[in-house]
Amino acid sequence: MASSKSKNILERLDAGELIIGDGSYIFTLERRGYVKCGHMTPEASVEYPEAVEALAVEYARAGADITQTFTFYSRDIGTPEDVNLTCREINQASCDIAKKVAKKYDTIVAGGIVYTAVFKQTRNKKDVQDELREGLEVLIENDVDLIIVEYFRNIIEMEWALELALSYGKPVAATMCIGPKGDQDGVSAAECGVRMAKAGAKIVGVNCLFDPFITLETVKIMKDGLKAAGLNPYLMCQPLGYRTPDGGSYGWIELPEYPYAVEPRTVTRFEVAKFAREAYDLGVRVIGGCCGMESVHIRAIAEELAEEHGRLPEASRKSDLDLSVLGRKANLGRREYLGKGTKDFWWNLVPATGRPLSASLHRQENPQTVSKSVLN
């Protein structure tokens, strides 16, 4: 267990700390058989609380400073036909699990709210805030330490959500699910960053939909815009755990492999370590993961940034941190381990798929980050 620290993320960031977030819940639990694909709703907190708790513990052991509540929607929509649970019942169970794990591992309890269905229908501020208020109520009743206003694709809705979230007096982080080309209306990533900061968010950044290196490109654009505007919020990055340079404007969701065949695109632990180093060097101080980022990836972040973080995670007890185990096997003449006892080998490796006819990229009609000419 970590030593007792402030649960106020802003106090810790002000003190110069690096904060490591946790990883994927919905997508990981779907792959483990606790969430139904297509619905992607968190009723597992009620139906299989031990599975949700075990995953939260994995992230804490891997070095996460944050334990997110397994909450998602604000209203009773989207659950499978055989689930007779209200959104409030699910969200309360999710809070109970997060608080239990946070008590044991001394982590920050973070509750998230996401974009609404009503925004697309009406683009009415009152309608949006009324829906979000329902999701926020249970988080506030459970006295979460941090509100994450995340997975918003439109800066207008984000601004309305921030206004409401900040009214509760809690620390608030704001992350949009956008790529380098900006939000769904074409507002630039730079302007999105500036508007989130001007709306009052002390932590701004991106989460989900795009891979680690695309999200870094997006954060860099945000950072440049913030600097030009004379603003200096903390930066946050929680990307996908898949390589998706050929994703469309809605990222990986527009790829044919989504959601059942994305495994070949999974990032390696060493790619995530590279991402973590680049993120830290860019100035990002809240670094975690979203869909596909599992405990091995969070551990890779914590191990790569152990000096900056001030500790190695509990799970590192089972890591070959200096690759000496593989090195000894190589020194014994075992060819299958030749060269594998060095960091350079793993950092420079380009993993193969094992599929002779596999394509490196999908021929996306509307690629977000690569030129169409590359795909023709």
Side-chain angles (χ1 to χ4, degrees), residues 283-349:
V284 182
R285 291 298 178 265
V286 185
I287 305 174
C290 205
C291 297
M293 280 278 199
E294 301 198 19
S295 56
V296 63
H297 299 119
I298 302 305
R299 186 179 68 180
I301 294 171
E303 290 177 347
E304 173 62 28
L305 298 175
E307 183 176 347
E308 293 83 356
H309 197 218
R311 63 183 175 91
L312 279 169
E314 179 184 324
S316 290
R317 178 174 173 266
K318 295 296 185 179
S319 287
D320 184 15
L321 283 168
D322 59 0
L323 298 171
S324 59
V325 174
L326 296 188
R328 286 196 299 272
K329 290 180 182 293
N331 291 337
L332 289 172
R334 297 180 62 174
R335 294 184 60 187
E336 67 270 31
Y337 292 105
L338 186 63
K340 294 182 180 179
T342 67
K343 188 175 181 179
D344 283 347
F345 175 91
W346 295 106
W347 276 54
N348 295 322
L349 179 72

Side-chain angles (χ1 to χ4, degrees), residues 160-175:
W160 295 345
L162 277 171
E163 179 184 78
L164 178 63
L166 287 163
S167 71
Y168 293 97
K170 296 277 186 181
V172 174
T175 56

Side-chain angles (χ1 to χ4, degrees), residues 113 116 118-120 122-130 132-133 136 149 152 154-167 195 199:
I113 56 171
T116 65
V118 76
F119 177 77
K120 184 177 180 180
T122 71
R123 290 215 171 191
N124 179 277
K125 179 179 179 179
K126 182 180 183 301
D127 292 342
V128 167
Q129 291 187 336
D130 283 348
L132 291 175
R133 189 174 287 108
L136 280 164
V149 182
F152 281 76
N154 191 289
I155 187 59
I156 296 172
E157 187 180 23
M158 168 61 83
E159 289 171 322
W160 295 345
L162 277 171
E163 179 184 78
L164 178 63
L166 287 163
S167 71
R195 287 171 65 172

Side-chain angles (χ1 to χ4, degrees), residues 48-98:
Y48 306 102
E50 67 287 349
V52 179
E53 180 181 340
L55 183 55
V57 167
E58 282 188 30
Y59 291 132
R61 292 188 68 253
D65 297 301
I66 292 173
T67 299
Q68 289 201 59
T69 60
F70 188 36
T71 52
F72 196 71
Y73 294 115
S74 295
R75 287 184 173 162
D76 298 339
I77 57 172
T79 52
E81 293 76 11
D82 61 345
V83 174
N84 297 309
L85 296 165
T86 66
C87 182
R88 173 169 279 274
E89 288 173 324
I90 295 168
N91 288 352
Q92 180 57 58
S94 299
C95 287
D96 291 341
I97 293 167

Side-chain angles (χ1 to χ4, degrees), residues 81-360:
E81 293 76 11
D82 61 345
V83 174
N84 297 309
L85 296 165
T86 66
C87 182
R88 173 169 279 274
E89 288 173 324
I90 295 168
N91 288 352
Q92 180 57 58
S94 299
C95 287
D96 291 341
I97 293 167
K99 289 167 69 177
K100 179 180 179 182
V101 173
K103 182 177 181 181
K104 180 177 181 180
Y105 288 93
D106 202 27
T107 51
I108 295 166
V109 177
I113 56 171
V114 301
Y115 74 91
T116 65
V118 76
F119 177 77
K120 184 177 180 180
Q121 298 164 1
T122 71
R123 290 215 171 191
N124 179 277
K125 179 179 179 179
K126 182 180 183 301
D127 292 342
V128 167
Q129 291 187 336
D130 283 348
E131 180 172 330
L132 291 175
R133 189 174 287 108
E134 294 179 33
L136 280 164
E137 282 176 355
V138 69
L139 301 178
I140 298 304
E141 287 171 11
N142 282 274
D143 195 27
V144 298
D145 304 308
L146 170 67
I147 296 170
I148 304 180
V149 182
E150 62 180 351
Y151 206 73
F152 281 76
R153 297 193 67 221
N154 191 289
I155 187 59
I156 296 172
E157 187 180 23
M158 168 61 83
E159 289 171 322
W160 295 345
L162 277 171
E163 179 184 78
L164 178 63
L166 287 163
S167 71
Y168 293 97
K170 296 277 186 181
V172 174
T175 56
M176 297 188 71
C177 54
I178 60 173
K181 292 186 178 180
D183 83 350
Q184 66 184 139
D185 284 346
V187 178
S188 72
E191 184 177 343
C192 286
V194 168
R195 287 171 65 172
M196 284 190 285
K198 286 186 174 180
K202 304 297 184 186
I203 305 168
V204 305
V206 292
N207 81 294
C208 208
L209 290 189
F210 297 96
D211 75 30
F213 301 101
I214 295 172
T215 59
L216 280 183
E217 182 182 343
T218 309
V219 171
K220 175 64 165 59
I221 295 169
M222 280 190 178
K223 181 180 179 180
D224 290 344
L226 290 162
K227 182 178 179 180
L231 299 168
N232 191 34
Y234 294 107
L235 299 176
M236 180 172 180
C237 192
Q238 298 205 136
L240 283 180
Y242 304 100
R243 296 302 295 263
T244 61
D246 46 342
S249 62
Y250 206 17
W252 71 319
I253 290 175
E254 294 181 7
L255 293 174
E257 296 97 330
Y258 175 87
Y260 285 128
V262 292
E263 287 83 358
R265 291 175 175 264
T266 302
V267 291
T268 71
R269 67 191 71 188
F270 294 99
E271 288 174 316
V272 173
K274 282 185 181 180
F275 149 74
R277 176 54 60 192
E278 291 181 22
Y280 188 85
D281 290 347
L282 181 61
V284 182
R285 291 298 178 265
V286 185
I287 305 174
C290 205
C291 297
M293 280 278 199
E294 301 198 19
S295 56
V296 63
H297 299 119
I298 302 305
R299 186 179 68 180
I301 294 171
E303 290 177 347
E304 173 62 28
L305 298 175
E307 183 176 347
E308 293 83 356
H309 197 218
R311 63 183 175 91
L312 279 169
E314 179 184 324
S316 290
R317 178 174 173 266
K318 295 296 185 179
S319 287
D320 184 15
L321 283 168
D322 59 0
L323 298 171
S324 59
V325 174
L326 296 188
R328 286 196 299 272
K329 290 180 182 293
N331 291 337
L332 289 172
R334 297 180 62 174
R335 294 184 60 187
E336 67 270 31
Y337 292 105
L338 186 63
K340 294 182 180 179
T342 67
K343 188 175 181 179
D344 283 347
F345 175 91
W346 295 106
W347 276 54
N348 295 322
L349 179 72
V350 179
T353 69
R355 296 170 178 81
L357 300 181
S358 67
S360 59

